Amino acid sequence: MAGGKIRKEKANHGAPTNPHYQGGVTFHKSKGQHILKNPLLVDSIVQKSGIKSTDVVLEIGPGTGNLTKKLLEAAKTVVAVELDPRMVLELQRRFQGTPLSNRLKVIQGDVLKCDLPYFDICVANIPYQISSPLIFKLLSHRPIFRCAVIMFQREFAMRLVAQPGDNLYCRLSVNTQLLARVSHLLKVGKNNFRPPPKVDSSVVRIEPRKPLPPVSFKEWDGLVRICFNRRNKTLRAIFRQKNIISMLEKNYKTLQALQISPAEEMVMDASVLGSSGEGLGMEVDGKDDEEMEIDGDDVNSDGSEFKDKVLGVLKQGNFEDKRASKLAQEDFFHLLSLFNKAGIHFS
């Protein structure tokens, strides 16, 4: 400290002075390390997971093992995936020499990058920054698991369960609910963690749909991404934008030239639904919708005809004045079907 006195701290021979410390490990908020400290909450999560004695449970981000211990007592096997080598060591030390040690398998690595083994149920208190890609990695895992019970930041959790017309209803809501039934289980206050996060959390149950809907996920997400680009604008206003018409016309001409049916290249990998999709060029800049619309004076006649073709599909399904924020799953299925029948595709 420049220009000041150095204050000597008295040695503390009792508990550690760092409040973000447990069992010899310091927790880092920047890495999303918020350890559950409320044993009643841990018991409730395990109970609501419906674990059977024959189940293999996947735990992501086990930390020091507070939740892991209860999972081991309920399940046949727990596979814990942990990125931080300090936490891996702490976890191994905690269960070494106990009857539970033979049921625990620890994988050190990034859960988004490693190959996941077979599991029946996923139970996890995850770093919140990996929430979206993790959901779609899990939902693309085969064989399909029975359910996942996961702690998320509260607003993210509310987006997962949001319904048409809700303020938080968004592309994440639509894509997740396409693949799974999602329900809110528990609201969790921030003081149940060490160190406490800045916001409250929620526990959500995710049950994959069986069978999965027969749709190209890439094609589906292409449509949903466009519709939610301006979620409260009418679909007519959205589909009149120059960059959207241009992208759809390019797809149309490419598929015609190659004589490829998108059904022949149906993409069934659910992980595409969680991608940022930067390559689709669907982000619209700050211009008003009127500035982005196609005018007959500055495009060729072919472009104007294709615009009419796109808007004709909306009119056919009575979608012109509808908004993405109010559309249900069946509406998106119907709209995608109408576009595809007209030879218009989104991937």
Side-chain angles (χ1 to χ4, degrees):
M1 179 176 174
K5 294 181 180 178
I6 298 177
R7 184 178 177 182
K8 245 184 172 180
E9 296 288 345
K10 292 183 180 179
N12 186 347
H13 300 293
T17 57
N18 187 344
H20 306 158
Y21 181 94
Q22 176 179 314
V25 177
T26 301
F27 304 133
H28 299 301
K29 284 187 175 183
S30 61
K31 295 180 180 178
Q33 293 176 344
H34 300 281
I35 308 301
L36 274 173
K37 66 177 185 179
N38 184 341
L40 294 178
L41 179 58
V42 171
D43 287 342
S44 181
I45 291 172
V46 173
Q47 180 184 6
K48 289 180 180 296
S49 299
I51 299 171
K52 301 176 183 177
S53 59
T54 55
D55 281 340
V56 175
V57 175
L58 174 69
E59 185 185 10
I60 299 161
T64 56
N66 293 346
L67 178 58
T68 313
K69 182 176 183 295
K70 294 296 182 179
L71 294 175
L72 285 168
E73 291 171 354
K76 177 183 177 182
T77 305
V78 174
V79 180
V81 182
E82 175 59 62
L83 180 61
D84 191 336
R86 302 170 308 134
M87 297 293 183
V88 170
L89 186 59
E90 187 66 26
L91 204 61
Q92 291 170 336
R93 283 174 177 168
R94 179 166 184 170
F95 296 105
Q96 188 175 14
T98 71
L100 299 176
S101 62
N102 291 334
R103 292 197 236 162
L104 175 64
K105 178 182 178 182
V106 182
I107 299 174
Q108 182 181 335
D110 185 340
V111 69
L112 297 180
K113 297 178 180 177
C114 66
D115 293 329
L116 297 177
Y118 171 88
F119 63 95
D120 298 293
I121 292 181
C122 175
V123 183
N125 169 31
I126 64 170
Y128 292 158
Q129 58 265 36
I130 69 169
S131 296
S132 184
L134 176 63
I135 284 177
F136 293 104
K137 180 180 175 75
L138 291 176
L139 290 174
S140 65
H141 182 73
R142 297 295 180 271
I144 296 176
F145 55 94
R146 191 162 77 247
C147 78
V149 176
I150 303 179
M151 183 89 69
F152 295 110
Q153 182 177 328
R154 179 159 175 77
E155 183 175 326
F156 184 90
M158 293 300 97
R159 290 180 184 276
L160 288 179
V161 301
Q163 297 298 307
D166 293 349
N167 287 336
L168 292 177
Y169 187 63
C170 61
R171 172 179 163 238
L172 175 68
S173 317
V174 174
N175 283 346
T176 305
Q177 293 170 33
L178 171 73
L179 303 175
R181 287 176 289 275
V182 190
S183 55
H184 183 270
L185 296 181
L186 290 169
K187 182 178 178 180
V188 181
K190 52 192 173 185
N191 291 328
N192 289 286
F193 300 87
R194 181 187 298 116
K198 293 181 180 179
V199 295
D200 288 339
S201 304
S202 281
V203 179
V204 170
R205 182 182 182 91
I206 301 171
E207 297 179 65
R209 297 190 186 277
K210 299 177 185 177
L212 289 171
V215 63
S216 164
F217 298 148
K218 193 171 182 181
E219 184 81 357
W220 169 275
D221 188 52
L223 170 64
V224 172
R225 186 187 302 273
I226 290 175
C227 293
F228 277 98
N229 210 6
R230 292 287 187 269
R231 63 188 294 274
N232 289 314
K233 292 286 187 183
T234 64
L235 295 185
R236 182 200 290 112
I238 290 172
F239 279 92
R240 288 174 66 90
Q241 294 173 69
K242 284 184 178 180
N243 62 335
I244 291 174
I245 291 292
S246 176
M247 184 274 289
L248 293 178
E249 186 173 18
K250 182 179 178 181
N251 287 351
Y252 180 79
K253 290 181 176 178
T254 300
L255 289 170
Q256 280 198 326
L258 298 176
Q259 295 184 335
I260 296 175
S261 167
E264 297 173 8
E265 296 189 341
M266 184 175 286
V267 179
M268 297 300 289
D269 180 4
S271 63
V272 302
L273 300 181
S275 66
S276 62
E278 294 173 353
L280 293 179
M282 294 322 311
E283 294 303 320
V284 178
D285 58 23
K287 297 181 182 179
D288 294 335
D289 287 334
E290 288 77 14
E291 295 180 55
M292 297 298 295
E293 290 179 8
I294 292 181
D295 295 323
D297 295 337
D298 52 28
V299 294
N300 59 39
S301 59
D302 289 342
S304 180
E305 287 177 8
F306 187 78
K307 172 192 165 186
D308 292 340
K309 185 179 183 71
V310 170
L311 297 181
V313 170
L314 296 179
K315 185 175 182 180
Q316 179 187 354
N318 296 317
F319 284 105
E320 293 173 294
D321 297 320
K322 293 184 179 179
R323 291 165 169 79
S325 59
K326 303 290 177 67
L327 295 183
Q329 292 278 332
E330 53 268 26
D331 296 320
F332 285 109
F333 273 116
H334 185 203
L335 182 56
L336 181 60
S337 173
L338 292 176
F339 271 122
N340 287 171
K341 285 178 182 176
I344 299 171
H345 297 275
F346 297 84
S347 62

Coordinates of all heavy atoms in Angstrom, one line a residue, residues 162-164 169-180 209 213 215 220 223-224 319 324 326-336:
A162 N -41.1 -20.2 -19.0 CA -42.0 -19.1 -19.5 C -43.0 -19.7 -20.6 O -42.6 -20.5 -21.4 CB -41.3 -17.9 -20.0
Q163 N -44.2 -19.2 -20.6 CA -45.2 -19.5 -21.6 C -45.5 -18.4 -22.5 O -45.2 -17.2 -22.2 CB -46.5 -20.0 -20.8 CG -46.3 -21.2 -20.0 CD -45.9 -22.4 -20.8 OE1 -46.6 -22.8 -21.8 NE2 -44.8 -23.1 -20.4
P164 N -46.2 -18.6 -23.7 CA -46.5 -17.5 -24.6 C -47.3 -16.4 -23.8 O -48.2 -16.7 -23.1 CB -47.4 -18.2 -25.6 CG -47.0 -19.6 -25.6 CD -46.6 -19.9 -24.2
Y169 N -40.8 -14.9 -21.9 CA -40.9 -15.9 -23.0 C -40.0 -15.5 -24.2 O -40.0 -14.4 -24.7 CB -42.3 -15.9 -23.5 CG -42.7 -17.0 -24.5 CD1 -42.5 -18.4 -24.1 CD2 -43.1 -16.7 -25.8 CE1 -42.9 -19.4 -25.1 CE2 -43.5 -17.7 -26.7 CZ -43.3 -19.0 -26.3 OH -43.7 -20.0 -27.2
C170 N -39.1 -16.4 -24.6 CA -38.1 -16.1 -25.6 C -37.7 -17.3 -26.3 O -38.2 -18.4 -26.2 CB -36.8 -15.5 -24.8 SG -36.1 -16.7 -23.6
R171 N -36.7 -17.2 -27.2 CA -36.1 -18.3 -28.0 C -35.7 -19.4 -27.1 O -35.9 -20.6 -27.4 CB -35.0 -17.8 -28.8 CG -34.2 -18.8 -29.6 CD -33.1 -18.2 -30.4 NE -32.1 -19.3 -30.8 CZ -30.8 -19.2 -30.5 NH1 -30.3 -18.3 -29.8 NH2 -30.0 -20.2 -30.9
L172 N -35.1 -19.1 -26.0 CA -34.6 -20.2 -25.0 C -35.9 -21.0 -24.6 O -35.8 -22.2 -24.5 CB -33.9 -19.6 -23.8 CG -33.5 -20.6 -22.7 CD1 -32.4 -21.5 -23.2 CD2 -33.0 -19.8 -21.5
S173 N -36.9 -20.3 -24.2 CA -38.2 -21.0 -23.8 C -38.7 -22.0 -24.9 O -39.0 -23.1 -24.6 CB -39.3 -20.0 -23.5 OG -38.8 -18.9 -22.8
V174 N -38.8 -21.5 -26.1 CA -39.3 -22.2 -27.2 C -38.5 -23.5 -27.5 O -38.9 -24.6 -27.7 CB -39.5 -21.4 -28.4 CG1 -39.9 -22.2 -29.6 CG2 -40.5 -20.3 -28.2
N175 N -37.1 -23.2 -27.6 CA -36.2 -24.3 -28.0 C -36.2 -25.4 -26.9 O -36.1 -26.6 -27.2 CB -34.9 -23.8 -28.3 CG -34.8 -23.1 -29.7 OD1 -35.7 -23.3 -30.5 ND2 -33.8 -22.4 -29.9
T176 N -36.1 -25.0 -25.6 CA -36.0 -26.0 -24.5 C -37.3 -26.8 -24.5 O -37.3 -28.0 -24.3 CB -35.8 -25.2 -23.2 OG1 -34.6 -24.4 -23.3 CG2 -35.6 -26.3 -22.1
Q177 N -38.5 -26.1 -24.6 CA -39.7 -26.8 -24.4 C -40.1 -27.6 -25.7 O -40.9 -28.5 -25.6 CB -40.8 -25.8 -24.2 CG -40.7 -25.1 -22.8 CD -41.6 -24.0 -22.6 OE1 -42.7 -23.9 -23.1 NE2 -41.2 -23.0 -21.8
L178 N -39.4 -27.4 -26.8 CA -39.5 -28.3 -27.9 C -39.0 -29.7 -27.6 O -39.5 -30.7 -28.0 CB -38.7 -27.7 -29.1 CG -38.5 -28.6 -30.3 CD1 -39.8 -28.7 -31.1 CD2 -37.4 -28.1 -31.2
L179 N -37.9 -29.7 -26.8 CA -37.2 -31.0 -26.5 C -37.5 -31.6 -25.2 O -37.2 -32.7 -24.9 CB -35.7 -30.7 -26.6 CG -35.1 -30.1 -27.9 CD1 -33.7 -29.8 -27.7 CD2 -35.4 -31.1 -29.0
A180 N -38.1 -30.8 -24.3 CA -38.3 -31.3 -22.9 C -39.5 -30.6 -22.2 O -39.9 -29.5 -22.6 CB -37.1 -31.0 -22.1
R209 N -38.4 -35.1 -23.9 CA -39.5 -35.7 -24.6 C -39.1 -37.0 -25.3 O -38.1 -37.1 -25.9 CB -40.1 -34.7 -25.6 CG -40.7 -33.4 -24.9 CD -41.5 -32.6 -25.9 NE -41.8 -31.3 -25.3 CZ -42.9 -31.1 -24.6 NH1 -43.7 -32.1 -24.3 NH2 -43.2 -29.9 -24.1
P213 N -39.5 -34.6 -31.3 CA -40.3 -34.2 -32.5 C -39.6 -34.4 -33.8 O -38.4 -34.1 -33.8 CB -40.6 -32.7 -32.2 CG -39.6 -32.3 -31.2 CD -39.2 -33.5 -30.4
V215 N -38.4 -33.0 -36.4 CA -38.1 -31.7 -37.1 C -36.6 -31.5 -37.1 O -35.9 -31.9 -36.2 CB -38.8 -30.6 -36.3 CG1 -38.3 -30.4 -34.9 CG2 -38.7 -29.2 -37.1
W220 N -35.6 -25.5 -37.5 CA -36.5 -24.9 -36.4 C -35.9 -23.6 -35.8 O -36.5 -22.6 -35.7 CB -36.8 -26.0 -35.4 CG -37.5 -25.5 -34.1 CD1 -36.9 -24.9 -33.0 CD2 -38.9 -25.5 -33.9 NE1 -37.8 -24.6 -32.1 CE2 -39.0 -25.0 -32.6 CE3 -40.0 -25.9 -34.6 CZ2 -40.3 -24.8 -32.0 CZ3 -41.2 -25.8 -34.0 CH2 -41.4 -25.3 -32.7
L223 N -35.9 -20.4 -37.9 CA -37.2 -19.7 -37.9 C -37.4 -19.0 -36.6 O -37.7 -17.8 -36.5 CB -38.3 -20.7 -38.1 CG -39.7 -20.1 -37.9 CD1 -40.0 -19.0 -38.9 CD2 -40.8 -21.2 -38.0
V224 N -37.2 -19.7 -35.5 CA -37.4 -19.1 -34.1 C -36.5 -17.9 -33.9 O -36.9 -16.9 -33.3 CB -37.2 -20.2 -33.0 CG1 -37.3 -19.6 -31.6 CG2 -38.3 -21.3 -33.2
F319 N -50.6 -15.3 -40.1 CA -49.6 -14.9 -39.2 C -49.1 -13.5 -39.3 O -48.2 -13.0 -38.6 CB -48.3 -15.8 -39.4 CG -48.5 -17.2 -38.8 CD1 -48.8 -18.3 -39.7 CD2 -48.4 -17.4 -37.5 CE1 -49.0 -19.6 -39.1 CE2 -48.6 -18.7 -36.9 CZ -48.8 -19.8 -37.8
A324 N -44.1 -13.0 -32.1 CA -43.4 -14.2 -31.6 C -43.7 -14.4 -30.1 O -43.8 -15.5 -29.6 CB -41.9 -14.1 -31.8
K326 N -46.2 -14.2 -28.5 CA -47.5 -14.8 -28.2 C -47.7 -16.2 -28.9 O -48.8 -16.8 -28.7 CB -48.7 -13.9 -28.6 CG -48.6 -12.5 -28.0 CD -49.0 -12.5 -26.6 CE -48.8 -11.1 -25.9 NZ -49.8 -10.2 -26.5
L327 N -46.7 -16.6 -29.6 CA -46.9 -17.9 -30.4 C -46.5 -19.1 -29.6 O -45.5 -19.1 -28.9 CB -46.0 -17.8 -31.7 CG -46.3 -16.8 -32.7 CD1 -45.4 -17.0 -33.9 CD2 -47.8 -16.9 -33.2
A328 N -47.3 -20.1 -29.6 CA -47.1 -21.4 -28.9 C -46.3 -22.3 -29.9 O -46.1 -22.1 -31.0 CB -48.4 -22.0 -28.5
Q329 N -45.9 -23.5 -29.3 CA -45.1 -24.5 -30.1 C -45.8 -24.9 -31.4 O -45.2 -24.9 -32.4 CB -44.9 -25.7 -29.2 CG -44.0 -25.5 -28.0 CD -42.5 -25.6 -28.4 OE1 -42.2 -26.3 -29.4 NE2 -41.7 -24.9 -27.6
E330 N -47.1 -25.2 -31.2 CA -47.9 -25.6 -32.4 C -47.9 -24.5 -33.5 O -48.0 -24.8 -34.7 CB -49.3 -26.0 -32.1 CG -50.1 -25.0 -31.3 CD -50.0 -25.2 -29.8 OE1 -49.0 -25.7 -29.3 OE2 -51.0 -24.8 -29.1
D331 N -47.9 -23.2 -33.1 CA -47.9 -22.1 -34.1 C -46.6 -22.1 -34.9 O -46.6 -21.9 -36.1 CB -48.1 -20.8 -33.4 CG -49.4 -20.7 -32.7 OD1 -50.4 -21.1 -33.3 OD2 -49.5 -20.1 -31.6
F332 N -45.5 -22.3 -34.1 CA -44.2 -22.4 -34.8 C -44.1 -23.6 -35.8 O -43.5 -23.5 -36.9 CB -43.0 -22.4 -33.8 CG -42.8 -21.1 -33.2 CD1 -43.1 -20.8 -31.8 CD2 -42.2 -20.0 -33.9 CE1 -42.9 -19.6 -31.2 CE2 -42.0 -18.8 -33.3 CZ -42.3 -18.6 -32.0
F333 N -44.6 -24.7 -35.3 CA -44.7 -25.9 -36.2 C -45.5 -25.6 -37.5 O -45.0 -26.0 -38.6 CB -45.3 -27.1 -35.5 CG -44.3 -27.9 -34.7 CD1 -44.4 -28.0 -33.3 CD2 -43.3 -28.6 -35.3 CE1 -43.5 -28.7 -32.5 CE2 -42.4 -29.4 -34.6 CZ -42.5 -29.4 -33.2
H334 N -46.6 -25.0 -37.3 CA -47.5 -24.7 -38.5 C -46.8 -23.7 -39.4 O -46.8 -23.9 -40.6 CB -48.8 -24.1 -38.0 CG -49.8 -23.8 -39.1 ND1 -50.8 -22.9 -38.9 CD2 -49.9 -24.4 -40.3 CE1 -51.5 -22.9 -40.1 NE2 -51.0 -23.8 -40.9
L335 N -46.2 -22.7 -38.9 CA -45.5 -21.7 -39.7 C -44.3 -22.3 -40.4 O -44.1 -22.0 -41.6 CB -45.0 -20.5 -38.8 CG -44.3 -19.3 -39.5 CD1 -45.2 -18.7 -40.6 CD2 -44.0 -18.2 -38.5
L336 N -43.5 -23.1 -39.8 CA -42.4 -23.7 -40.4 C -42.9 -24.6 -41.5 O -42.3 -24.7 -42.6 CB -41.6 -24.5 -39.4 CG -40.3 -25.2 -39.9 CD1 -39.3 -24.2 -40.5 CD2 -39.7 -26.0 -38.8

